[in-house]
Each structure stands twice: as structure tokens, then as C-alpha cells.
Amino acid sequence: MPRIYFGVGTGELLGLMGEAGADVVGVDWRVPLDEAARRVQPGKALQGNLDPAVLLAPWPVVEERARDVLGRGRSAEGHVFNLGHGVLPETDPGVLARLTDLVHADSVRPDA
């Protein structure tokens, strides 16, 4: 079973989290995923890292930020799209559904 380590505000600890035995290192929204991939040794996947507050913005902003996270996540050996930390209570569930559809559509591999 994969070991996932996640902490909020742990950008400077990402390498150590990988060294401590994580298979997947969770990244909050404070560190771009391409930078996180540089901090974590090879062989580790990343999880994250859309800022949950972005989901309160108009859809074009949500879409732009989500695509940025997806693009930067491609620099990692593996990437699980997720929020950088939890869903805010005032988040519209419709935005979450729309975001899920966007991530699924953008993540389809040509060989799949």
C-alpha cells in the first residue's frame, strides 16, 4: 500500500518527507509542483496542490489555476491532482463537479 505524507506549510520539508519513506508527497498550494518535484528525490509522486480558496473565484480563474497545477504536475514522476488542503465550507459543490470534469478531461492519456 502506498504511503502518502502530507503537511501544510511543509515546503522546506518535502525532500525529508520523501526520504522518510513516502511513496507520494503531498504538496500544499504554497509550493508550485515543478519546484516540489525538484525538492523530492526521483521515484516519488506528488499530490496536490490547488489552493482551496481559488474555488471561490469565478470559473475562468479556477480553470486557469487548475490547468497550471496540472501542467506543473507533469514535471513529477506521478501526480494526483488534489486541493492543497481541504474544501472550504462555502465552496459550491457545482464548482467541485466542474473541476473534477476538467481534471478528468485534461488527464486523459493518448494511449488510454
Side-chain angles (χ1 to χ4, degrees), residues 14 23 41 43 45 51-52 55 57 69 73 81 84 86 92 97 102-104 106:
L14 294 174
D23 299 303
Q41 68 269 32
D51 182 347
L55 297 177
V69 168
F81 183 92
D92 177 355
L102 170 73
V103 171
H104 287 169
D106 196 72

Side-chain angles (χ1 to χ4, degrees), residues 4 10 20 34 36-37 45-46 57-58 64 79 81 86 106:
I4 302 171
T10 56
D34 50 350
L46 299 179
E64 175 189 341
H79 175 227
F81 183 92
D106 196 72

